[in-house]
Amino acid sequence: MTLSMSTILRRSLIHRRARSLSALVALTVSAGVATALLTLYADLDAKLHHEFRSFGANIVITAPASSALPQDALAKVRQVAGSDALVAPFAYAIATTDRGTPVVVAGTDFAAVKKLDASWAIENGAWPDPSDTQAALIGQRAANFIADEHAVKLTFAGKPLTLHGTGRIKTGGDEDSRIYIPLPAFTAWTGTTTSVIEVQISGNAQKIDAAITGLKSALPGMQVQPVRQLVEGESRIVDRTHTLMYAAVLLIALTVGVSVLATLSASVLERRRDFALMKALGGSQSQLISLFLLEAALLAFAGVIAGYIIGSALAWAISETNFGTASLPRIEVLPLVLLLNMAIAVMAALFPARVLRGLQPAALLKGE
Amino acid sequence: MRVLEETLSTPGTESVISLNAVTREYASHGNVVRALDSATFAINSGEWVAITGPSGSGKSTLVNMLGCLDRPTSGTLKIDGTDVASMSATELDRFRADKIGFIFQQFHLIPYLSAIENVMLAQYFHSMTDESEARVALEKVGLGARISHLPSELSGGEQQRVCIARALINNPPILLADEPTGNLDAANQKIVANLLGELHRYGHTIVMVTHDPEMAALAQRKIALSHGKVFCHPTSSSRMIRLQR
Ligand SMILES: Nc1ncnc2c1ncn2[C@@H]1O[C@H](COP(=O)(O)OP(=O)(O)OP(=O)(O)O)[C@@H](O)[C@H]1O
Ligand SMILES: [Mg+2]
């Protein structure tokens, strides 16, 4: 048997179970909170943008009255807006249903709309298969004007068209009164082509302004308009969420730091006599401080392991309930959490280290 | 065990501790308390000295300075020929581990370490641990069968014997004991007194604070303190040393 620093540490930790445990709990909480916040934070931008994408387009391109968008407009828009932008073409016409009611028919690219307008709720069915050239999505109000949703009979300028509905759209907006059909079928039927292109650029207001400038010069004479409210709202909400997040992290780090500090200080203060004795036995300042720091680091390390597991689970649960998607544990936050916890432990140990430096074994070891 | 078998030095020839106008003042609550006032005396190597005096007279203050746990406010204190004022805090820690063994009234054992580990703790901070040496030290103080007991599982007398084994394990020339029998009953006091006597015979210099006249009588010389001032009365035994010289 030898007596090493690790033996002394182990004995001391076990002997003062309650104290060790409360320090461990404090450090587990700090690591857990840091893990949860960092995991969520790493996902936040993606999550927020995902959420905002469902709000639809933030730029709308239209031809001025009595003119049309050029043939290559869609290709140009895709090129200018970049690969991560969502672009969907629309063409509109007024047709008559088999009940004789006029209805707005829109030709579009279902695959693009499904991404751009992810918030559209489809009821009694599903989005059409992109390969289905005769599919239709029927607005829930428009559905009242047609006899059979499985065989939608429309007439435009005397030309009939029969489609089969795959589901109903419910947005609460204009879309509810329209019937959406594939753009190629629309063009073949009505002879008209794309008149509106909706674009969603993800990012801040500057990025959107830059895209608008680019689109205007690529499509001279066309109207390129931002959906202003949403653009400003988006960046404001994102900024606010970030600020809130930072404030929360700071507040929690501070609270946990203070509680760890209190616990570790108390744990040194209650062992003043033991440390005084070790000093009297020839223990140097650096030996005593390293003994103490090692203890703090050991607790911090154990706290990181427990906290990482708990924090990852927490992040998963939070994102599951708030965003409907699960945040998976991110191993890349682990070094950061470790660093943070070590920093808290070492900082919290600085005060007790000062206590140790000022320790007067003479005063502690005599009398009483 | 080397400690109890070797003779450290020939007694009574050189002073191992010497004080010249040593004063220790405490500043507290705006007042300055002079706990030790201009103490000047010397203790020879191998001497057994008892420090006596009423409560608050400065006995512990004196012993703490002799143990390099505390430094004089003014005056010169030399231990084994070295002026403690000339040493840095780190050097003093080292010096203390080499030169001084402490025996405390309250024992001051680490509660979560066993008897043998408490002894080995002194080895640990001094140089390196040696279990067999620590075991022998405990056997010498009559605790061979108690080595893995925690302090809470030992009687007061047994704890004090662990404390003595710990004080001796690094074979320091000077032993400082602040009321070593203050918390012990008569039987245990006798055991500790015998152990100290044995250590004295092997050449350790012993400085012992005591209130107990019986214990004080065992020492060769008494140093009496009163209000921080030192009154050395040469006792019969110290006269004897002088006669021997
Ligand atoms: N840290 C300190 N701060 C202020 N005053 C102190 C301090 N330590 C001791 N004193 C004062 O110094 C004086 C001497 O104290 P000391 O502990 O040396 O007495 P003592 O002789 O050992 O007493 P006792 O027999 O009760 O142990 C006392 O008046 C005490 O109040
Ligand atoms: Mg005292």
Side-chain angles (χ1 to χ4, degrees), chain A residues 1 11 277 279 365 368, chain B residues 96 106 108 117 125 131:
Chain A
M1 184 192 78
R11 293 288 163 79
L277 174 83
K279 225 174 175 178
L365 295 178
E368 295 90 63
Chain B
R96 182 168 54 236
Q106 281 76 24
H108 293 309
E117 285 167 343
F125 286 120
E131 191 192 351

Side-chain angles (χ1 to χ4, degrees), chain A:
Chain A
M1 184 192 78
T2 59
L3 187 72
S4 60
M5 199 174 255
S6 71
T7 318
I8 301 173
L9 260 178
R10 200 176 55 241
R11 293 288 163 79
S12 149
L13 284 171
I14 295 170
H15 181 74
R16 301 169 310 113
R17 275 173 224 93
R19 182 67 73 191
S20 310
L21 204 70
S22 70
L24 184 64
V25 166
L27 285 158
T28 301
V29 168
S30 78
V33 167
T35 302
L37 286 176
L38 287 171
T39 305
L40 287 175
Y41 194 81
D43 282 356
L44 180 70
D45 283 290
K47 287 272 156 56
L48 278 177
H49 282 118
H50 175 80
E51 290 291 290
F52 277 105
R53 273 180 194 277
S54 64
F55 285 15
N58 43 26
I59 298 173
V60 175
I61 302 156
T62 49
S66 79
S67 67
L69 285 171
Q71 285 291 313
D72 59 350
L74 194 63
K76 277 186 172 167
V77 170
R78 288 213 165 104
Q79 190 195 335
V80 172
S83 57
D84 61 339
L86 299 177
V87 179
F90 294 92
Y92 297 99
I94 296 174
T96 315
T97 65
D98 49 2
R99 286 187 175 170
T101 319
V103 67
V104 175
V105 178
T108 191
D109 174 351
F110 281 126
V113 173
K114 186 177 174 181
K115 281 191 221 153
L116 180 70
D117 294 307
S119 68
W120 286 10
I122 307 297
E123 293 181 342
N124 304 338
W127 283 93
D129 191 295
S131 62
D132 187 343
T133 57
Q134 301 298 308
L137 273 181
I138 303 158
Q140 62 162 357
R141 246 172 293 141
N144 299 326
F145 313 141
I146 51 180
D148 182 3
E149 285 179 46
H150 298 291
V152 183
K153 293 193 174 70
L154 299 169
T155 314
F156 176 80
K159 282 205 267 179
L161 180 70
T162 304
L163 301 140
H164 61 95
T166 63
R168 285 194 191 179
I169 309 166
K170 186 182 167 192
T171 68
D174 293 342
E175 294 86 0
D176 290 0
S177 327
R178 295 177 187 158
I179 294 172
Y180 285 82
I181 70 172
L183 191 56
F186 181 92
T187 305
W189 179 43
T190 63
T192 56
T193 179
T194 309
S195 59
V196 175
I197 297 175
E198 294 188 4
V199 184
Q200 187 192 67
I201 306 276
S202 63
N204 54 21
Q206 287 100 302
K207 215 177 147 196
I208 292 162
D209 285 342
I212 289 171
T213 313
L215 289 168
K216 273 183 176 160
S217 65
L219 297 166
M222 300 299 117
Q223 291 170 343
V224 181
Q225 279 159 335
V227 184
R228 203 39 100 175
Q229 250 178 326
L230 202 58
V231 170
E232 282 171 359
E234 175 169 347
S235 56
R236 213 164 42 232
I237 291 173
V238 171
D239 286 351
R240 237 181 245 168
T241 313
H242 280 201
T243 312
L244 214 73
M245 205 83 170
Y246 282 131
V249 172
L250 213 72
L251 202 76
I252 291 166
L254 221 70
T255 313
V256 171
V258 165
S259 96
V260 173
L261 177 85
T263 311
L264 289 184
S265 306
S267 123
V268 168
L269 288 177
E270 74 186 6
R271 280 180 294 165
R272 283 204 323 272
R273 222 166 263 246
D274 293 354
F275 283 122
L277 174 83
M278 292 179 189
K279 225 174 175 178
L281 292 180
S284 66
Q285 192 66 35
S286 57
Q287 270 176 315
L288 298 196
I289 288 181
S290 56
L291 191 69
F292 175 68
L293 280 182
L294 206 68
E295 179 182 304
L298 205 74
L299 288 169
F301 187 73
V304 165
I305 293 173
Y308 178 73
I309 296 169
I310 295 170
S312 294
L314 203 68
W316 184 84
I318 288 173
S319 63
E320 181 74 54
T321 37
N322 290 296
F323 299 103
T325 45
S327 275
L328 294 175
R330 283 172 183 261
I331 196 77
E332 69 263 28
V333 308
L334 196 57
L336 221 72
V337 172
L338 189 69
L339 202 75
L340 188 86
N341 234 25
M342 289 294 172
I344 288 182
V346 168
M347 269 188 326
L350 283 184
F351 165 72
R354 278 184 51 176
V355 171
L356 280 186
R357 198 166 307 124
L359 204 66
Q360 292 292 337
L364 281 164
L365 295 178
K366 73 170 195 201
E368 295 90 63

Side-chain angles (χ1 to χ4, degrees), chain A residues 366, chain B residues 26 28 33 35 54-61 179 211:
Chain A
K366 73 170 195 201
Chain B
Y26 293 110
S28 70
V33 178
S55 182
S57 56
K59 305 183 296 294
S60 296
T61 302
E179 305 199 28
H211 280 299

Side-chain angles (χ1 to χ4, degrees), chain B:
Chain B
M1 188 184 75
R2 58 171 196 222
V3 176
L4 296 179
E5 282 150 17
E6 282 168 22
T7 297
L8 287 160
S9 61
T10 31
T13 47
E14 76 245 43
S15 56
V16 70
I17 295 170
S18 84
L19 295 85
N20 188 11
V22 169
T23 296
R24 179 66 169 97
E25 287 173 346
Y26 293 110
S28 70
H29 309 291
N31 301 337
V32 173
V33 178
R34 186 167 286 194
L36 195 65
D37 191 356
S38 213
T40 302
F41 64 90
I43 295 172
N44 290 332
S45 179
E47 239 188 319
W48 185 352
V49 174
I51 296 177
T52 60
S55 182
S57 56
K59 305 183 296 294
S60 296
T61 302
L62 174 61
V63 165
N64 286 334
M65 280 190 298
L66 300 185
C68 305
L69 289 173
D70 197 6
R71 296 195 202 226
T73 312
S74 66
T76 315
L77 169 61
K78 283 187 183 168
I79 309 284
D80 220 10
T82 311
D83 186 349
V84 297
S86 71
M87 281 185 280
S88 71
T90 322
E91 287 169 336
L92 209 58
D93 289 335
R94 183 77 246 140
F95 186 75
R96 182 168 54 236
D98 279 340
K99 303 285 180 194
I100 319 274
F102 291 95
I103 302 166
F104 304 98
Q105 181 178 356
Q106 281 76 24
F107 325 137
H108 293 309
L109 300 174
I110 303 286
Y112 47 83
L113 296 180
S114 66
I116 192 162
E117 285 167 343
N118 265 287
V119 175
M120 287 163 76
L121 192 68
Q123 294 177 316
Y124 176 79
F125 286 120
H126 177 261
S127 46
M128 56 206 280
T129 58
D130 180 336
E131 191 192 351
S132 60
E133 220 171 78
R135 187 193 306 271
V136 173
L138 283 170
E139 279 162 5
K140 292 281 177 185
V141 297
L143 289 177
R146 295 272 196 283
I147 59 166
S148 26
H149 286 225
L150 290 174
S152 58
E153 298 163 345
L154 296 171
S155 75
E158 288 165 341
Q159 289 184 55
Q160 189 57 297
R161 276 137 71 190
V162 175
C163 185
I164 292 173
R166 181 181 64 189
L168 294 170
I169 193 68
N170 297 317
N171 200 26
I174 303 165
L175 284 175
L176 297 179
D178 196 345
E179 305 199 28
T181 56
N183 282 349
L184 301 182
D185 63 11
N188 278 302
Q189 174 169 329
K190 187 135 188 65
I191 294 172
V192 169
N194 286 340
L195 278 171
L196 290 177
E198 201 174 329
L199 293 168
H200 170 61
R201 277 195 297 285
Y202 286 117
H204 289 271
T205 307
I206 301 176
V207 180
M208 168 185 78
V209 172
T210 185
H211 280 299
D212 184 61
E214 242 177 84
M215 284 297 287
L218 295 171
Q220 296 165 296
R221 184 152 68 111
K222 281 187 215 160
I223 293 176
L225 281 173
S226 176
H227 298 291
K229 291 209 184 289
V230 174
F231 301 91
C232 297
H233 4 232
T235 61
S236 54
S237 47
S238 79
R239 256 184 244 117
M240 233 159 62
I241 288 178
R242 252 182 244 144
L243 290 173
Q244 283 168 358
R245 268 190 229 160

